[in-house]
Amino acid sequence: FILKMASPNGGDDFESSLLSFEKLDRASPDLWPEQLPGVAEFAASCKNPINNSPPKWMAELESEDIEMLKELGSLTTANLMEKVKGLQNLAYQLGLEESREMTRGKFLNILERPKK
């Protein structure tokens, strides 16, 4: 790239001293490491749209999972946020229930190891 700044005096000597003819080689992985791991692999997979096989991450999905993905993909932002809040509330309620059951098991001594 070339860096050129105007001098206050308009002198060409000053301007020529600011020129840089450095060539930046972006081919080196050491100089330009991949900032986000996996992006290059993803970009390469997107360049070949003729590939008819499903992506690796879809190989283990069942039809119910694909339907859920389609449903979630069709939600508006507000509806998606509402769904996420519902899942957070459900996770919290499950945590409370697990805590109660663990306390109950402790009082009933069902979690103790048998003495030998």
Side-chain angles (χ1 to χ4, degrees), residues 34-82:
E34 189 175 15
Q35 292 181 356
L36 298 173
V39 171
E41 180 183 318
F42 176 76
S45 71
C46 289
K47 287 182 182 178
N48 190 3
I50 300 172
N51 190 359
N52 291 333
S53 64
K56 289 186 281 186
W57 60 269
M58 282 190 71
E60 297 179 11
L61 294 181
E62 297 176 2
S63 61
E64 294 174 1
D65 300 327
I66 294 172
E67 289 301 317
M68 176 69 76
L69 284 173
K70 288 178 182 177
E71 177 188 334
L72 292 173
S74 67
L75 294 176
T76 64
T77 305
N79 290 344
L80 189 58
M81 290 301 296
E82 191 174 311

Side-chain angles (χ1 to χ4, degrees), residues 8 10 18 20 22-24 41 43 46 52 58 60 76 81 83 85 88-90 95 97 99 102 104 110:
L18 294 177
S20 172
E22 181 180 4
K23 302 251 190 250
L24 299 178
E41 180 183 318
C46 289
N52 291 333
M58 282 190 71
E60 297 179 11
T76 64
M81 290 301 296
K83 186 88 165 171
K85 287 179 185 176
Q88 288 175 332
N89 288 338
L90 179 62
E97 186 177 333
S99 175
M102 290 299 287
R104 182 175 170 213
I110 60 173

